[in-house]
Amino acid sequence: MESKSTHQNTLSLQALADALHRNWFNGVLLGLGIYILFFKNISIQFNLNSIEQPVAVAEQGLVPSFGQMLPASYKAEKRTNSQQNVSQIKWDTRQPEDFPNLTFVLNDNYAERHHVRPEVKEAVNAKVEAYLEQYKMLAISEMEDYGVPASITLAQGLLESNAGESLLARESNNHFGIKCKRQCRGCTCRNYSDDDIYDMFRVFWDAKESFRAHSELLNGERYQHLHRLRISDYKGWARGLKKAGYATDKAYADKLIRIIEKLDLTRFDRLGA
């Protein structure tokens, strides 16, 4: 019995060896598949975990855990790509003097849409800031004496005079487009449109005189109802001026409100409170 059993076992082992010999290639493939399926899954999970490290680590080119190194050139490549994008922009060739000084105050994203160079935008906006710096205390003083919000005075001055660079402001110190009356005793008037007498504009000795004339104008009967509004109600003042006929521009009130909000001109109202 033992001899027969031993002989059968020998035959079985021989058959298994023959089978392995015939199918060794398939066996190698099967083993490789098991290895990839199991061990590479672990590797992939490790890589995903390392990618979830803080962005700061990646940008600094530091080595994450498990030795999975992010490219050390990551930050440099990002910067280079950004520089290439900027260099490919077709920039607007206009200079600061080619823009009305309130262009970028009244028009959001104008510079970005038209590819105006940042330095040009900064130069134009610097003129607006210079105007505010020069006349803010004068506007506050007029508010204290005549009750016209400094924010309204400054917004009108900026808009009417193109931040002090209009022909009327430069040659006549007229910052508010104040016209001559039919009978203007002691007034000097000048015509800028080669039209009739009703388009004659006041000439002032200096900007201070122009600001005072503006305060007096807004204390006249035509605008008296505005003084029932609070100093802080710049929207009411702006709309009231338009309704009373200060300007013919349909968007006049909206422009004043935009200027006040964009430049935070109500801070000057609070300074005089």
Side-chain angles (χ1 to χ4, degrees):
M1 290 293 292
E2 291 181 1
S3 176
K4 185 176 181 180
S5 175
T6 301
H7 180 69
Q8 289 176 347
N9 290 338
T10 301
L11 289 176
S12 298
L13 290 173
Q14 183 63 40
L16 178 61
D18 291 343
L20 290 174
H21 180 73
R22 290 193 303 271
N23 298 286
W24 66 270
F25 184 73
N26 292 337
V28 170
L29 290 178
L30 178 61
L32 183 60
I34 293 172
Y35 172 82
I36 292 174
L37 180 63
F38 180 72
F39 291 100
K40 291 302 180 180
N41 263 349
I42 295 176
S43 177
I44 290 171
Q45 291 173 4
F46 287 168
N47 288 338
L48 289 176
N49 289 336
S50 67
I51 290 173
E52 290 173 359
Q53 301 299 318
V55 174
V57 173
E59 290 186 344
Q60 294 171 15
L62 300 180
V63 180
S65 58
F66 299 102
Q68 301 298 322
M69 181 180 295
L70 290 175
S73 59
Y74 176 85
K75 190 173 182 180
E77 289 178 359
K78 185 177 180 181
R79 188 187 310 112
T80 300
N81 291 337
S82 176
Q83 291 172 345
Q84 289 176 348
N85 290 337
V86 171
S87 65
Q88 292 172 358
I89 294 176
K90 187 176 181 180
W91 292 105
D92 191 308
T93 59
R94 287 176 291 178
Q95 298 302 307
E97 58 272 16
D98 297 322
F99 294 93
N101 290 335
L102 293 174
T103 298
F104 308 113
V105 174
L106 292 173
N107 299 278
D108 278 337
N109 303 320
Y110 182 94
E112 289 75 12
R113 293 197 311 271
H114 295 274
H115 303 308
V116 178
R117 290 188 176 277
E119 60 270 23
V120 172
K121 178 182 177 181
E122 291 174 5
V124 173
N125 286 342
K127 297 178 183 179
V128 174
E129 291 299 327
Y131 186 92
L132 292 177
E133 186 63 28
Q134 183 172 2
Y135 297 112
K136 62 184 181 183
M137 298 310 299
L138 183 55
I140 292 172
S141 176
E142 291 299 316
M143 175 177 63
E144 293 172 340
D145 292 341
Y146 287 88
V148 179
S151 59
I152 288 292
T153 298
L154 289 169
Q156 285 193 279
L158 283 166
L159 185 59
E160 297 285 348
S161 75
N162 188 32
E165 290 192 352
S166 69
L167 188 64
L168 190 58
R170 288 186 287 106
E171 294 190 357
S172 299
N173 291 310
N174 191 332
H175 288 241
F176 301 94
I178 298 176
K179 293 183 178 182
C180 284
K181 299 177 182 179
R182 292 186 179 183
Q183 293 181 345
C184 188
R185 297 177 181 178
C187 296
T188 302
C189 299
R190 184 175 293 166
N191 187 301
Y192 282 91
S193 60
D194 296 325
D195 210 334
D196 57 37
I197 186 67
Y198 301 110
D199 284 325
M200 298 287 284
F201 292 89
R202 291 277 305 274
V203 177
F204 299 101
W205 289 107
D206 54 26
K208 184 177 180 180
E209 188 181 14
S210 174
F211 274 69
R212 175 54 54 89
H214 172 262
S215 297
E216 292 173 347
L217 176 64
L218 296 195
N219 273 266
E221 183 178 356
R222 188 176 188 179
Y223 303 102
Q224 193 60 47
H225 65 284
L226 296 176
H227 292 268
R228 293 195 291 268
L229 301 172
R230 298 187 306 275
I231 289 291
S232 59
D233 187 7
Y234 63 90
K235 291 182 179 180
W237 274 85
R239 291 165 182 155
L241 285 169
K242 173 62 182 73
K243 189 175 181 179
Y246 192 98
T248 57
D249 183 357
K250 293 181 179 180
Y252 190 74
D254 293 332
K255 288 179 180 180
L256 292 182
I257 292 169
R258 178 62 181 162
I259 293 168
I260 291 170
E261 292 179 345
K262 184 74 172 181
L263 301 176
D264 188 25
L265 299 187
T266 56
R267 57 194 156 118
F268 302 119
D269 297 335
R270 295 189 293 270
L271 286 176

